[in-house]
Amino acid sequence: MKLIPHSRHVLAGALLLGSLLGGATTAQAQSSMPETQRVQVQAQAEIKAEPDMAMLNARLWERTPTIARTENTPSDPQALADARKRLEERTGELIRTLEQAGLESKSITAGSLSVRPDYVHRPVKKDEPPETLVRTQLERPVSLRIDDLDRLPAILDALTQAGVNALDGVTYDLKDRDAATDKALTQALEKAHHKAQLMASTLGVELGPVLNIQETNAPIFAPRMMAMSAEAKQGGSTPEYRSGEITIDAGVSVAWEIKN
């Protein structure tokens, strides 16, 4: 049968109307389906772990002689070379001292050389114009990984003896972070399961299969900075380095179906 143009438009409209009616019928059927009864709980877990390693950052620097600053103050190549030589010698001596203190060479990272101008404002008398002086600072950072915390006091003594210019602090950490975060997450899930079972048994229902699992917050791991006793801070006794404990938090949200 051959359709004339008018008939084609009528047929297309009928098909479209049928599609819309069918979609509406499906939506009505879905809305009339009973909603799955569920119990949903949230749980938090916190574990504390004793650190078993530490990271330490120190810096060495050397400076060229201070000179008056002008618009185009040239750098003295010989002064820069002398400062760099002194810095490299001190860095090498520091590494040797640390190795003698029991630190393995693979645990010592000597960073790259940085060079920057260092401006100094000289005090002036009342009637004198202000004057800015400039010098060049050459710096090397040194990072240490300490796997044996009992060696920490000796290593800090070695750094002091080597004359480091800055000690940026000690951060305590865990060698196996994944194991600690897995433990916190497991405990959070176990707490959620216990809460759901308690609620179900109290209300006289039975838990079905798990419908949904979600982390409300991923395990939070924060390394701990070094702490010292109050007596040591006041200079009343030998410094005591206390690692304390590292706290890891985890949270989950879990939903179970309620059996009919």
Side-chain angles (χ1 to χ4, degrees):
M1 181 179 66
K2 183 177 180 180
L3 295 176
I4 60 175
H6 176 72
S7 300
R8 289 178 182 176
H9 290 301
V10 173
L11 179 59
L15 291 174
L16 177 61
L17 179 60
S19 176
L20 293 174
L21 292 176
T25 304
T26 302
Q28 291 175 355
Q30 290 177 347
S31 64
S32 63
M33 292 176 60
E35 182 180 353
T36 302
Q37 299 300 311
R38 64 174 62 193
V39 56
Q40 183 160 350
V41 299
Q42 292 185 344
Q44 300 282 333
E46 176 185 282
I47 68 169
K48 295 183 180 296
E50 185 175 347
D52 55 8
M53 64 163 290
M55 295 296 297
L56 188 151
N57 297 303
R59 287 176 289 145
L60 294 169
W61 63 66
E62 287 287 339
R63 292 169 175 153
T64 62
T66 303
I67 60 176
R69 180 191 178 191
T70 62
E71 185 175 351
N72 294 307
T73 303
S75 300
D76 184 345
Q78 187 58 49
L80 285 173
D82 292 342
R84 180 172 183 178
K85 181 180 179 181
R86 294 194 304 269
L87 181 60
E88 297 300 342
E89 289 175 350
R90 290 178 59 203
T91 303
E93 181 62 28
L94 172 61
I95 292 174
R96 289 188 292 272
T97 302
L98 291 170
E99 290 175 341
Q100 291 172 2
L103 201 60
E104 297 182 6
S105 58
K106 66 180 182 180
S107 299
I108 304 171
T109 302
S112 59
L113 175 71
S114 65
V115 181
R116 64 176 180 85
D118 183 27
Y119 299 102
V120 181
H121 298 282
R122 189 184 70 173
V124 295
K125 295 181 181 180
K126 182 177 180 181
D127 297 331
E128 292 181 351
E131 183 180 16
T132 300
L133 307 177
V134 64
R135 59 193 175 189
T136 302
Q137 178 165 310
L138 297 87
E139 184 173 310
R140 290 284 304 273
V142 178
S143 299
L144 311 177
R145 175 189 169 103
I146 305 168
D147 291 323
D148 183 359
L149 294 182
D150 291 336
R151 294 187 180 275
L152 180 58
I155 292 171
L156 290 171
D157 289 341
L159 289 170
T160 303
Q161 293 170 7
V164 295
N165 297 101
L167 181 60
D168 297 330
V170 177
T171 303
Y172 291 102
D173 212 327
L174 297 174
K175 297 175 185 175
D176 191 351
R177 290 188 179 188
D178 290 340
T181 54
D182 287 351
K183 184 177 180 181
L185 187 58
T186 298
Q187 288 190 7
L189 289 168
E190 290 173 346
K191 281 188 175 182
H193 192 204
H194 173 74
K195 288 174 66 174
Q197 287 181 322
L198 178 62
M199 294 167 66
S201 62
T202 301
L203 298 176
V205 297
E206 186 177 353
L207 293 180
V210 174
L211 298 175
N212 183 56
I213 306 173
Q214 183 178 358
E215 278 186 309
T216 54
N217 62 274
I220 301 173
F221 183 97
R224 182 181 178 86
M225 296 299 292
M226 179 176 67
M228 295 176 62
S229 63
E231 294 84 358
K233 290 180 180 179
Q234 297 170 3
S237 64
T238 302
E240 299 176 11
Y241 305 106
R242 301 178 180 178
S243 60
E245 292 180 319
I246 294 175
T247 302
I248 302 100
D249 297 310
V252 296
S253 175
V254 188
W256 282 265
E257 180 183 347
I258 297 177
K259 289 183 179 181
N260 295 327

